[in-house]
């Protein structure tokens, strides 16, 4: 019997098949696979077909990594394509016209500010820097101090000429520097926006460098300070001096006497205020700032110990007569407190007896009028700031509250709803009651009104009360704007009282350097009178100078010899700069709340840390 193979073959080996295994293997290889009549599954096919040949992959060795050549080609291709697309897009962006968003043009206050600062460049004395930018000015008065053998101060080169003459008065010059420093401390962002921050700091430093020369600034105790350099003898004598001689500062060849003062509380305290406020401006320059603070301390100590008015019985009483030194005590002590944080200065500034002597508790026609002579109202605003933002409390609260209330009352008097001060028909407030040279008082009031409105806004206070009536802070800013707009040309004469601003401004400014041509001719004292008395416009434009201003009838005479109309001053221009920067730019940019307090320690002790967590 034969068994059957279920696959269709015999189970027994065919004995007649004598082929060897090798022969069968070769025969299998020669077998025509296509001739199979059966359908084979994949497994059977794989037996018959044998192993398939694998396609060899190609790789690229990049050193740190090995990648497939295909992947490498795709990657490089994508990078090249992306670069081409980016370049194409960039080309389109650069070639296609686009709408540019230009910054808005500067407002009138910013434009006027830039010009008003130029006035200080024109007033510089000494060796001028190359960047002074006043083409008709040069170095001058390089012998100041040396030309007077009676003084101990031999290097008094530098500083600023006061007005149209060539005298250097420390009293109004110091006030001007304090005003400029105050405006920088409050509005650094606005100066920055006007691109004038570096310029105004340079102006301040030129003045403080000079003030440090006018006393022994390295000592702790002094017995004298310089009050002025040069004299303005108005008696009409033939001797050359800074009033008799109408010559350019560069042509001065006569001796310039130095006036020293041994009992001058007002002058020394004002100089201390200037150095103390400037120390805050230059707080990032620690060495210079500390030098200014030391000088301010020394001056204020001298002011307290050697009581007297600097202008008593000397020539200064003709030009800048000081009526009291008590207001300078409050003013100087306030600035020294901010500069040092020493509460002894705050105690002095808030002493009721000193405030009483300064006129804080009685009225009078000039109450609330801030000027180079009367610092009380400025000090009250400055100390109201302290109450608004730090609120030191006892023992200062009573007098600070009084100062704050008095500040509010004076602000009320500026408003047109009240009759404390008259106004011209053109709208100019008469803070000096119709007397000549009104603008210097107006700009100071405009600055303080704007500043106080910004104080209130920064303390989230919408306004203040004048009697039973509540007024928004906006009315203070509107008052300041109307006054500054009047000065810039919105007045019955349509004249700008700032030289170089607008098309119609004074052309015959009372100023030696501006009125004598720079023609390489050196005129003697009387030879320059022809330029003083000429009716022709000044050959040199004193850009940015604010003249003395109109009369009480809005009238103005553009006459060089009439200094009550046409003479500018350092103090007047400093107030103008402060008011302009306060009003300039974006209104949302307010004051710098914190810089002025940078040296002031915390009013109250730091609370102790909480106790450690209880552990069982």
């Amino acid at each position: 019997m034969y068994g059957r193979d279920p696959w269709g073959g015999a189970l027994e080996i065919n004995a007649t098949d004598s082929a060897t295994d090798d022969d069968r293997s070769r025969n299998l290889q020669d077998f025509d696979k296509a001739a199979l009549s059966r359908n084979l599954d994949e497994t059977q096919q794989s037996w018959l077909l044998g192993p398939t040949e694998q396609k060899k992959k190609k790789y690229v060795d990049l050193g740190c990594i090995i990648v497939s050549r295909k992947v490498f080609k795709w990657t490089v291709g994508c990078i090249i394509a992306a670069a081409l697309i980016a370049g194409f897009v960039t080309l389109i962006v650069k070639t296609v016209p686009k709408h540019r968003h230009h910054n808005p043009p500067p407002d009138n206050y910013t434009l006027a500010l830039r010009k008003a600062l130029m006035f200080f460049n024109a007033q510089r004395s000494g060796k001028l820097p190359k960047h002074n930018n006043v083409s008709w000015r040069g170095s001058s008065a390089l012998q100041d101090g040396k030309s007077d053998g009676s003084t101990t101060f031999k290097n008094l080169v530098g500083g600023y000429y006061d007005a149209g003459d060539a005298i250097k008065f420390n009293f109004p010059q110091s006030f001007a520097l304090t005003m400029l420093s105050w405006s920088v401390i409050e509005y650094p962002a606005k100066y920055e926006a006007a691109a004038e921050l570096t310029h105004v700091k340079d102006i301040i430093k030129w003045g403080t460098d000079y003030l440090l020369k006018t006393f022994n600034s390295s000592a702790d105790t002094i017995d004298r300070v310089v009050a002025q350099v040069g004299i303005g003898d108005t008696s009409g004598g033939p001797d050359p001096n800074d009033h008799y001689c109408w010559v350019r500062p560069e042509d001065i060849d006569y001796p310039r006497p130095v006036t020293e003062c041994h009992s001058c509380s007002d002058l020394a305290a004002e100089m201390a205020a200037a150095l103390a406020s400037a120390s805050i401006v230059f707080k990032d320059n620690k060495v210079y700032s500390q030098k200014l603070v030391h000088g301010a301390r020394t001056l204020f100590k001298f002011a307290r110990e050697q009581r007297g008015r600097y202008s008593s019985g000397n020539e200064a009483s003709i030009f800048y007569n000081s009526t009291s030194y008590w207001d300078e005590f409050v003013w100087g002590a306030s600035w020294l407190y901010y500069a040092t944080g020493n509460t002894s200065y705050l105690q002095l500034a808030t002493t009721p007896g000193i405030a009483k002597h300064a006129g804080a508790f009685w009225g009078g026609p000039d109450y609330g009028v801030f000027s180079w002579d009367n610092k009380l109202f400025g000090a009250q605003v400055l100390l109201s700031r302290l109450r608004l933002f730090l609120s030191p409390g006892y023992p200062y609260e009573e007098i600070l509250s009084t100062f704050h209330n008095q500040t509010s009352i004076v602000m009320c008097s500026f408003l047109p709803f009240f009759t404390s001060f008259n106004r011209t028909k053109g709208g100019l407030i008469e803070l000096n009651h119709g007397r000549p040279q009104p603008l210097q008082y107006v700009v100071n009031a405009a600055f303080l009104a704007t500043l106080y409105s910004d104080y209130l806004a920064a303390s989230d206070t919408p306004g203040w009360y004048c009697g039973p009536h509540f007024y928004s802070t906006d009315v203070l800013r509107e008052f300041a704007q109307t006054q500054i707009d009047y000065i810039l040309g919105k007045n019955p004469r349509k004249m700008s009282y700032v030289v170089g601003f607008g098309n119609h401004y004074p052309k015959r400014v009372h100023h030696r350097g501006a009125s004598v041509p720079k023609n390489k001719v050196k005129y003697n004292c009387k030879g320059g009178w022809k330029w003083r008395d000429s009716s022709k416009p000044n050959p040199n434009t004193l850009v940015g100078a604010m003249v003395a201003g109109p009369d009480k009838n809005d009238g103005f005479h553009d006459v060089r010899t009439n200094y009550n109309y046409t003479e500018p001053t350092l103090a007047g221009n400093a107030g103008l700069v402060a008011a302009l920067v306060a009003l300039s730019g974006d209104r949302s940019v307010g004051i710098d709340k914190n810089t002025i307090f940078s040296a002031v320690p915390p009013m109250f002790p730091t609370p102790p840390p909480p106790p450690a967590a209880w552990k069982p």
Side-chain angles (χ1 to χ4, degrees):
M1 298 273 313
Y2 294 98
R4 295 289 299 178
D5 182 1
W7 295 95
L11 292 176
E12 291 186 1
I13 300 174
N14 188 351
T16 60
D17 186 1
S18 60
T20 66
D21 291 339
D22 289 338
D23 291 336
R24 282 194 296 270
S25 176
R26 281 194 297 271
N27 293 337
L28 181 62
Q29 294 293 333
D30 296 337
F31 186 77
D32 186 2
K33 299 169 187 176
L36 286 174
S37 58
R38 271 191 183 165
N39 290 329
L40 303 180
D41 60 22
E42 290 181 0
T43 302
Q44 293 170 332
Q45 288 181 17
S46 66
W47 295 342
L48 298 176
L49 294 175
T52 58
E53 291 186 5
Q54 297 289 334
K55 189 174 182 181
K56 188 176 181 181
K57 291 186 178 180
K58 296 182 180 180
Y59 297 91
V60 176
D61 188 352
L62 298 178
C64 59
I65 190 172
I66 299 175
V67 297
S68 166
R69 180 176 293 182
K70 184 176 181 180
V71 173
F72 177 74
K73 287 181 179 181
W74 269 101
T75 303
V76 172
C78 290
I79 293 174
I80 294 174
L84 291 174
I85 293 172
F88 183 67
V89 171
T90 302
L91 182 64
I92 293 176
V93 170
K94 288 189 174 183
T95 54
V96 173
K98 54 188 175 182
H99 179 69
R100 295 181 180 273
H101 294 279
H102 296 285
N103 292 328
D107 55 85
N108 281 344
Y109 303 127
T110 300
L111 294 173
L113 170 67
R114 293 169 179 167
K115 294 182 181 295
L117 286 169
M118 285 298 296
F119 171 74
F120 292 90
N121 293 39
Q123 294 300 102
R124 282 183 174 177
S125 178
K127 180 70 174 178
L128 298 188
K130 293 181 180 180
H131 61 271
N132 198 51
N133 296 332
V134 181
S135 61
W136 46 272
R137 278 303 322 277
S139 299
S140 62
L142 300 180
Q143 298 300 313
D144 280 357
K146 296 178 183 178
S147 63
D148 187 346
S150 64
T151 183
T152 59
F153 301 96
K154 296 303 180 184
N155 180 14
L156 294 175
V157 177
Y160 291 96
Y161 300 123
D162 173 66
D165 49 31
I167 306 175
K168 296 189 291 193
F169 290 106
N170 274 19
F171 192 51
Q173 181 175 177
S174 297
F175 175 72
L177 294 173
T178 309
M179 288 293 287
L180 291 177
S181 293
W182 193 3
S183 69
V184 172
I185 293 167
E186 301 286 10
Y187 297 107
K190 291 196 172 187
Y191 273 112
E192 189 74 58
E196 291 290 345
L197 184 58
T198 300
H199 185 196
V200 71
K201 285 185 175 181
D202 185 45
I203 289 170
I204 294 169
K205 190 173 186 299
W206 186 270
T208 53
D209 284 349
Y210 171 72
L211 290 184
L212 290 170
K213 297 178 180 180
T214 61
F215 68 102
N216 186 357
S217 60
S218 62
D220 294 329
T221 303
I222 58 175
D223 64 353
R224 69 191 67 194
V225 299
V226 171
Q228 72 182 67
V229 177
I231 58 173
D233 185 5
T234 58
S235 64
D239 295 332
N241 64 70
D242 293 293
H243 185 83
Y244 179 79
C245 297
W246 194 271
V247 297
R248 300 176 69 245
E250 293 78 4
D251 294 335
I252 292 175
D253 58 3
Y254 48 81
R256 285 162 55 82
V258 176
T259 302
E260 293 182 359
C261 179
H262 299 267
S263 178
C264 40
S265 300
D266 38 17
L267 171 62
E270 181 56 65
M271 291 171 64
L275 297 186
S277 58
S279 74
I280 302 173
V281 172
F282 297 107
K283 67 182 182 67
D284 293 334
N285 184 346
K286 292 185 178 180
V287 173
Y288 189 65
S289 181
Q290 290 172 359
K291 186 176 183 179
L292 294 174
V293 169
H294 181 270
R297 288 179 181 271
T298 301
L299 285 165
F300 199 75
K301 179 182 178 182
F302 170 68
R304 295 284 293 160
E305 293 176 350
Q306 302 294 326
R307 302 288 180 89
R309 292 188 302 113
Y310 94 102
S311 59
S312 179
N314 59 40
E315 185 190 62
S317 62
I318 303 172
F319 300 99
Y320 289 100
N321 184 47
S322 175
T323 55
S324 167
Y325 53 73
W326 297 101
D327 55 314
E328 277 83 17
F329 280 167
V330 181
W331 177 244
S334 300
W335 278 115
L336 270 163
Y337 171 67
Y338 283 127
T340 65
N342 189 329
T343 55
S344 65
Y345 294 116
L346 181 59
Q347 290 170 359
L348 192 148
T350 55
T351 300
I354 294 177
K356 179 180 178 180
H357 284 300
F361 306 119
W362 56 277
D366 295 325
Y367 181 76
V369 179
F370 183 46
S371 70
W372 54 264
D373 180 32
N374 187 357
K375 319 300 183 346
L376 176 63
F377 183 48
Q380 288 176 325
V381 173
L382 195 58
L383 291 173
S384 296
R385 188 194 213 284
L386 179 66
R387 184 172 186 261
L388 281 168
F389 297 119
L390 291 190
S391 187
Y394 179 84
Y396 314 108
E397 172 58 23
E398 184 175 356
I399 191 68
L400 288 180
S401 175
T402 300
F403 284 166
H404 193 176
N405 290 336
Q406 291 174 338
T407 297
S408 297
I409 292 171
V410 175
M411 292 298 171
C412 295
S413 72
F414 292 159
L415 304 184
F417 318 112
F418 301 90
T419 58
S420 302
F421 300 101
N422 293 328
R423 279 172 166 74
T424 67
K425 290 184 178 180
L428 185 70
I429 191 169
E430 296 183 58
L431 295 170
N432 64 339
H433 305 287
R435 295 190 293 267
Q437 307 175 24
L439 297 188
Q440 58 179 311
Y441 308 101
V442 173
V443 292
N444 289 342
F447 169 62
L448 293 184
T450 308
L451 182 61
Y452 188 63
S453 71
D454 286 341
Y455 284 172
L456 294 178
S459 60
D460 295 324
T461 307
W464 83 113
Y465 280 95
C466 295
H469 302 289
F470 184 83
Y471 292 96
S472 165
T473 55
D474 291 339
V475 299
L476 282 177
R477 182 173 288 270
E478 289 168 5
F479 157 74
Q481 288 175 334
T482 59
Q483 299 306 302
I484 298 302
D485 289 347
Y486 181 103
I487 294 171
L488 296 182
K490 197 173 181 180
N491 55 63
R493 296 184 63 86
K494 307 300 181 186
M495 170 175 277
S496 165
Y497 293 111
V498 177
V499 177
F501 183 84
N503 298 320
H504 184 38
Y505 52 82
K507 301 296 196 299
R508 298 162 188 84
V509 181
H510 183 93
H511 192 273
R512 286 160 173 75
S515 62
V516 178
K518 185 181 179 181
N519 56 8
K520 298 183 180 180
V521 176
K522 184 176 180 178
Y523 299 95
N524 59 27
C525 287
K526 294 184 69 173
W529 288 5
K530 68 176 182 179
W531 302 111
R532 178 193 68 186
D533 301 332
S534 171
S535 61
K536 294 181 179 180
N538 288 349
N540 306 310
T541 303
L542 188 62
V543 174
M546 184 185 74
V547 296
D551 56 32
K552 60 183 179 181
N553 299 314
D554 297 308
F556 182 80
H557 300 289
D558 190 7
V559 178
R560 190 175 296 108
T561 53
N562 196 332
Y563 56 85
N564 280 331
Y565 289 104
T566 58
E567 186 171 22
T569 64
L570 285 178
N573 253 73
L576 173 66
V577 166
L580 288 170
V581 75
L583 291 171
S584 69
D586 188 351
R587 184 173 176 178
S588 64
V589 179
I591 60 166
D592 182 336
K593 289 175 61 174
N594 300 319
T595 294
I596 199 170
F597 300 124
S598 55
V600 176
M603 285 290 174
F604 308 100
T606 305
W614 180 80
K615 293 182 180 180

